[in-house]
Amino acid sequence: MNRSTSLFDRRTILAAGGALMVCSAAARAVAPAKSDAGTKLVLLGTTGAPYFIPERKMIGQAVVIDGRVYLIDAGYGVAGRMVEAHLPFEKVAGIFVTHMHADHIADFPIIAEQIAMSQGISPVGVFGPEGIRATCSGALETFTETFKARQMMMQGIPAPSDRFAVTQIAANGVIFQDDRVEVSALAVPHPPIPSYAYRFDSQDRSIVFSGDTRMFEGLAEFAKGADVLVHEAIYLPGFAAPPYNMPEAMVKMATSVHTTPEQAGQIAQQAGVKTLVLSHLIPGQTTTPDSVWHSEAAKHFKGRIIVGHDLMVI
């Protein structure tokens, strides 16, 4: 595979080696893909926590393999980012939810509705921790009247519930496999609710998503030898500053459920991955510059570091 193939036009700037990635709004403009071949990572939303900010949508990303889309999380704004990234809903083959917080599932209903209304892959696998069944059924129930109208106009189409196969993850290990990818899950510590990391192994690439987690050395073993580790990160000084202004007790609590960029760098170095992508950034505003995220992770990780921005293709 030619890994330089991108969904972006020539204005996209991707960092090489350990260099800092610099992205303006123009640099992140998207054009239709020249080729669907191979495995790509598309960042659809890169902020953490349920805050509405102009720079970033809530968390979501896609692994795209030969044009087939595997969605990981679906926070607010991710559906629109899929359209901007030219990722058709009918090409979605799987949805993998790391955990059931709002910033990871807010756009799940509209994405499920769009898939159900399409003539795409069927059934689409939906995977997640406890609560994923209720979320999926609730999403479809929200659009009951829409589905009724469509079925009146297009007789013989599948019932929306038949378009999805929901799996509530019960144990670590392989949870999904098709002719393009094998997906494994690992429980990670994000108390008080269940949270999962996911690993995607395709023919040409391995990509790991940390999900929300405090620093967890088990993740380093899970990500061992992967090409890319997408890891959440919280910069505590920024979390305590405007516009968050979080009190000291809240900042302390955050360290028990999230990972600093320095700690993410440690995990990436232990895992021996080639590229570390920092995403689910708290704070997501550009008041914390890319250089800060990068330098903190680089204290331990000597590979390529990318500070995530919406619509990057890696």
Side-chain angles (χ1 to χ4, degrees):
M1 169 193 171
N2 178 4
R3 293 189 183 176
S4 65
T5 302
S6 172
L7 296 178
F8 287 125
D9 63 20
R10 54 192 168 83
R11 294 174 295 173
T12 302
I13 302 172
L14 288 179
L20 172 65
M21 178 171 288
V22 180
C23 288
S24 66
R28 296 193 295 275
V30 181
K34 295 180 179 179
S35 171
D36 284 335
T39 302
K40 305 175 184 68
L41 166 64
V42 184
L43 303 184
L44 299 169
T46 54
T47 193
Y51 295 101
F52 295 87
I53 61 173
E55 295 95 329
R56 293 181 168 94
K57 303 302 183 184
M58 294 180 197
I59 192 69
Q61 48 258 309
V63 174
V64 185
I65 307 174
D66 300 330
R68 192 177 294 175
V69 178
Y70 304 85
L71 185 65
I72 303 91
D73 286 330
Y76 176 81
V78 168
R81 290 296 196 213
M82 289 179 67
V83 176
E84 292 178 82
H86 303 280
L87 300 181
F89 294 101
E90 62 266 23
K91 294 291 187 180
V92 175
I95 302 174
F96 301 83
V97 174
T98 60
H99 66 291
M100 306 308 296
H101 279 159
D103 55 321
H104 294 252
I105 59 171
D107 263 18
F108 183 94
I110 191 61
I111 290 171
E113 182 267 343
Q114 287 293 301
I115 291 171
M117 298 273 280
S118 75
Q119 300 294 317
I121 297 165
S122 189
V124 172
V126 179
F127 301 85
E130 182 179 353
I132 192 62
R133 292 186 188 279
T135 294
C136 192
S137 62
L140 299 181
E141 185 176 351
T142 298
F143 296 103
T144 296
E145 297 305 319
T146 299
F147 295 139
K148 284 180 181 178
R150 180 170 179 261
Q151 287 172 320
M152 289 174 61
M153 293 184 291
M154 302 175 63
Q155 294 184 6
I157 63 172
S161 58
D162 293 340
R163 294 298 312 279
F164 301 93
V166 182
T167 299
Q168 183 171 295
I169 302 170
N172 296 337
V174 176
I175 58 169
F176 175 83
Q177 188 169 16
D178 64 9
D179 60 335
R180 285 172 169 78
V181 68
E182 179 180 274
V183 183
S184 303
L186 173 72
V188 293
H190 186 57
I193 66 170
S195 184
Y196 283 92
Y198 293 113
R199 177 171 180 143
F200 289 71
D201 289 296
S202 70
Q203 186 173 10
D204 62 309
R205 244 178 154 192
S206 295
I207 303 174
V208 176
F209 300 89
S210 71
D212 279 20
T213 179
R214 63 172 175 247
M215 185 179 179
F216 178 49
E217 293 192 354
L219 185 61
E221 184 62 31
F222 184 67
K224 186 72 72 176
D227 294 288
V228 181
L229 170 61
V230 183
H231 205 296
E232 69 128 272
I234 182 170
Y235 183 60
L236 296 173
F239 191 45
Y244 290 88
N245 297 312
M246 291 300 173
E248 184 178 350
M250 181 71 76
V251 174
K252 184 177 180 180
M253 184 275 292
T255 64
S256 69
V257 294
H258 291 292
T259 307
T260 67
E262 180 178 357
Q263 291 171 333
Q266 289 178 273
I267 295 298
Q269 188 67 24
Q270 292 172 22
V273 301
K274 298 175 183 177
T275 299
L276 170 63
V277 179
L278 297 176
S279 191
H280 192 275
L281 302 178
I282 305 174
Q285 290 89 340
T286 52
T287 48
T288 302
D290 286 6
S291 58
V292 170
W293 298 103
H294 187 280
S295 62
E296 288 291 304
K299 290 178 180 179
H300 299 282
F301 183 59
K302 306 310 176 185
R304 181 189 187 200
I305 300 171
I306 296 174
V307 180
H309 288 269
D310 294 13
L311 297 177
M312 281 182 174
V313 178
I314 300 162

